[in-house]
Amino acid sequence: VRRRLVLSALRLAVSNRYPLNTQCSRPSLRRFTHGGVLIDPTKEIERVAGIKFKRDGVLIDPAKEVDRLVGILSVLPSKLLHPPSLVANQITALLMHLAMHPRKDSGPLASCIMDAMRANQSSGVPLTVQMYHLAIECWIKSEVDGGIDPAYGLLSALLLSNEGKEFMQPGMDPKDIDRVNSSLALFVHTLLGQSDARGDTEKEDLAKAISLVERILQLHNDINCGLVPNITSTNAILNVLSHVGDEKSADQASSLLAHVVQLHLNHSTGDIEPNTTSFAIVIHFLAKIGQVEEAEELLHRMLQLHDDGIISAKPDIFCYNSILDGLSKSNRPNASQDAENMLRTMESIGGDLSPDTVSYTSCIHAYARRRLPRRAEYMLRRMIWAYEDGDERVRPDATSFGAVANAWASSGGKEGVEKVEALVELQEELYREGSVPNMAPNVILYNALANAWAHTKTKASGDNAFRVLKTMKAQGVKPNTTTINTILKGLARSNDGKRAVIKADNIMEDTRSGKLPVSLNIISFNAYLDCLGRNGAPNACQRVTETLVRMKEVGILPNRITFNTAMNLLAKSKDSGSGKMAARILNTMEASDDPSIQPNERSYAACINAVARSSQPERAQVAYEIYQRMGKPTTQAINGVLSACSFLPKGKRQDAVRIAIELIDDLKQRSEVSPDHITFSTMLKVIGTSMPPSKEREEMVRSVFQECCEEGLLSDLVVRNLKKAVLQSVFRELIPPENGEGNNIRSEWRRNV
């Protein structure tokens, strides 16, 4: 009746051709008639929307009705004026009204009644599945913040508590089965819908859904339970499992779908027949977690069931696109070719399964991921040709252009830059012609161009990547965080020294002042520190401190890469306090409970190098102590400690030799780490700078030289330090003139250099 009233008012408004909020003042306009009385349509809609609960033909405020029923429940069964069955019917009618005409207090009012019934079980008024179902619906439809929690409590009481077991007996009313399944589906879709709207799935929300799903699966497998699934609840369960996103949940989803198919075969009822959504959820889930082969098998199973007439559902384009997306991220050898073959299959089927933009873009990503930019560009050209031939489903967009451009950018070299520039020109041409909508210059393609220049790794790469930023401003394209990160990486790889540092400083200052309105992330700060380190920025200690302070100001926590990069910057600096600052950073990392901050082998090696290159007199001892704290020493760390032992003040040289000897002895006992030519060269440097000329020094040099030749690591650097560590006569004895120097040294002595 309410729907008919609303439709009548709407029809009148349309026929009168005036907005609903316009008053009907002109007599010529037809008016809405209700009970023989002319009524303004706007007022009628307001009246219908405000309908109150009606009992015995009398309009009653639902809140007052709740108070009345709660009062009755508190005195039953002593009062015989209110038969329990009549009270139960009145409660059901009120809950139904609250569910059908939701208000902000529908949920609290429903819970008030349910709590009163549970607290007065001796009243004789039976709790029913329908009451639970309506109360859950009241909370969800009331749209109150946090309303999902009381709904979860009611659904848990229905499925998990002892009182709920009474409803799940064999021979359960089919209507109650539908109500339980509908309650589960409504709760799950609302819960996951809220999470998706926020852009994440909170662990607590997911835990609630999982607990209900596990209980439902137990009840389905219990022969003494009358609850059976329908396709609505099945899809809700599959949706929950797909949000969990692990292999165990994937197995459960596949098993449940197979179970439902078998139930349909056994009962041949439409209520349990899996539909396209059922298969699509599982196919997408399997492909998303990398089980592409299983997803393909399920697609073929679905086709077979449909062809055999067992199910009416057949794959839709979402099923095919899910597998294409999985293939684009798969590591199997022929994944890109398999993706193109599936695309051709979709083209041959045609109709609703004709490939769309998503299909082609997935194929492009498949080729791009395998560094096959030519094939990726060919797929893009096919998209453009198909669209120009009138196929609106395959309109190329920024994502498809960007995927091809990034594939060429990652290929490196001059050709990669030329290809990306050609793609930029093609996009601009399509935009000018207007043949493809939404093809205005965009940040994705310019980021790819900056990335292409960054991969050239020449001195000009930084300048050219930086020039892309100016081009974007001229074109009215706003740069984003990826733009800044890419340019900073390009400047780092350019090794352009002071010029690269100045440009990086300008970018960071512009983002701070707002001249360049881009938010930075952890990658931005790491790339900036890396640029400073590779290009020999001065005042390293001050720069590291300022960068860490700014990160704290913008709420970004440093990670292991941040600290490692900072210590590498300090290692290449000439600041007097760089070694001590690196040691403090390492201490901070070791004291942290955060696994993303705790030091690794690179951390210790970077700190050792910073200490070794500092001017502190006790650097050899400090570096050796840091080395001893390493869980797994590396060749780089060993070389750093040896470097710290060279060129020490006179009072520290004896300790340096002792440390170097202990280090080499420790190295010989370890099978997991081997010396390189730097190790032998630095050891010779330590001997030559820390020991006075003597027989002992000569013997040590001979020992190191012999071991170096045995390892096949006699490089030019080793030869130069050997010449400095011994007399000319000894050097000629170790390397006779007939063996020559440089590239003419005996090949077996330098076989592993």
Side-chain angles (χ1 to χ4, degrees), residues 237-281:
I237 294 171
L238 293 174
N239 205 358
V240 171
L241 294 172
S242 70
H243 273 72
V244 176
D246 56 21
E247 293 186 3
K248 178 183 176 182
S249 301
D251 293 339
Q252 289 177 317
S254 299
S255 300
L256 175 59
L257 184 58
H259 176 64
V260 168
V261 171
Q262 192 59 45
L263 283 176
H264 175 63
L265 289 172
N266 295 341
H267 299 288
S268 297
T269 61
D271 289 343
I272 198 59
E273 179 182 347
N275 55 23
T276 301
T277 302
S278 315
F279 283 92
I281 291 172

Side-chain angles (χ1 to χ4, degrees), residues 618-625 627 641-642 644-645 648 652-666 683 686:
E618 65 280 4
R619 60 181 179 272
Q621 185 62 39
V622 174
Y624 188 47
E625 289 173 357
Y627 167 81
V641 178
L642 289 173
C645 294
L648 287 175
K652 302 291 182 180
R653 291 177 183 177
Q654 189 173 356
D655 290 339
V657 175
R658 174 185 57 80
I659 291 172
I661 293 173
E662 290 180 7
L663 196 63
I664 295 299
D665 290 341
D666 182 57
M683 185 62 189
V686 172

Side-chain angles (χ1 to χ4, degrees), residues 150-161:
Y152 171 72
L154 290 165
L155 192 54
S156 298
L158 182 60
L159 296 175
L160 305 176
S161 67

Side-chain angles (χ1 to χ4, degrees), residues 162-195:
N162 290 327
E163 64 185 62
K165 291 182 180 179
E166 300 176 2
F167 303 126
M168 310 297 175
Q169 301 300 320
M172 186 177 177
D173 187 343
K175 291 183 179 179
D176 284 344
I177 294 175
D178 288 341
R179 287 166 184 147
V180 174
N181 287 324
S182 297
S183 297
L184 175 69
L186 180 62
F187 173 80
V188 166
H189 289 315
T190 304
L191 179 71
L192 299 181
Q194 291 178 356
S195 298

Side-chain angles (χ1 to χ4, degrees), residues 367-378:
Y367 281 116
R369 191 172 182 271
R370 282 154 190 80
R371 304 292 177 88
L372 297 171
R374 296 184 192 281
R375 199 65 190 169
E377 184 172 348
Y378 169 70

Side-chain angles (χ1 to χ4, degrees), residues 30-297:
R30 287 182 295 147
R31 301 271 185 114
F32 181 76
T33 303
H34 178 65
V37 180
L38 293 177
I39 300 174
D40 185 275
T42 303
K43 293 181 179 178
E44 177 61 11
I45 289 177
E46 292 174 354
R47 186 192 73 80
V48 174
I51 286 179
K52 293 189 176 182
F53 180 68
K54 184 179 289 189
R55 178 168 54 80
D56 299 331
V58 180
L59 292 177
I60 301 172
D61 189 296
K64 294 181 179 179
E65 179 68 2
V66 169
D67 292 339
R68 186 186 74 84
L69 292 171
V70 170
I72 292 174
L73 289 170
S74 65
V75 299
L76 282 176
S78 60
K79 298 283 187 179
L80 298 179
L81 296 175
H82 304 284
S85 59
L86 175 62
V87 176
N89 290 338
Q90 291 177 346
I91 290 174
T92 302
L94 178 60
L95 289 172
M96 189 176 297
H97 171 82
L98 292 172
M100 292 176 63
H101 312 292
R103 6 187 296 169
K104 287 188 176 181
D105 60 350
S106 292
L109 291 175
S111 284
C112 184
I113 295 176
M114 299 297 289
D115 292 343
M117 292 190 69
R118 283 198 287 257
N120 298 278
Q121 295 182 3
S122 60
S123 65
V125 179
L127 267 168
T128 64
V129 172
Q130 185 179 14
M131 292 178 184
Y132 275 103
H133 171 65
L134 292 171
I136 292 168
E137 193 173 345
C138 286
W139 269 112
I140 291 176
K141 288 186 176 181
S142 65
E143 298 183 357
V144 177
D145 290 340
I148 200 72
D149 294 325
Y152 171 72
L154 290 165
L155 192 54
S156 298
L158 182 60
L159 296 175
L160 305 176
S161 67
N162 290 327
E163 64 185 62
K165 291 182 180 179
E166 300 176 2
F167 303 126
M168 310 297 175
Q169 301 300 320
M172 186 177 177
D173 187 343
K175 291 183 179 179
D176 284 344
I177 294 175
D178 288 341
R179 287 166 184 147
V180 174
N181 287 324
S182 297
S183 297
L184 175 69
L186 180 62
F187 173 80
V188 166
H189 289 315
T190 304
L191 179 71
L192 299 181
Q194 291 178 356
S195 298
D196 291 341
R198 292 193 305 266
D200 67 334
T201 303
E202 294 185 1
K203 291 183 179 179
E204 293 182 2
D205 291 346
L206 205 53
K208 293 174 185 176
I210 292 171
S211 65
L212 297 175
V213 165
E214 290 177 346
R215 178 58 177 162
I216 283 285
L217 294 176
Q218 289 176 359
L219 294 174
H220 289 172
N221 295 325
D222 188 354
I223 59 175
N224 296 318
C225 177
L227 181 66
V228 293
N230 63 14
I231 200 57
T232 303
S233 62
T234 298
N235 289 349
I237 294 171
L238 293 174
N239 205 358
V240 171
L241 294 172
S242 70
H243 273 72
V244 176
D246 56 21
E247 293 186 3
K248 178 183 176 182
S249 301
D251 293 339
Q252 289 177 317
S254 299
S255 300
L256 175 59
L257 184 58
H259 176 64
V260 168
V261 171
Q262 192 59 45
L263 283 176
H264 175 63
L265 289 172
N266 295 341
H267 299 288
S268 297
T269 61
D271 289 343
I272 198 59
E273 179 182 347
N275 55 23
T276 301
T277 302
S278 315
F279 283 92
I281 291 172
V282 182
I283 289 172
H284 178 71
F285 182 15
L286 293 172
K288 183 176 67 174
I289 65 172
Q291 297 184 8
V292 184
E293 291 79 4
E294 291 80 356
E296 290 174 305
E297 291 175 4

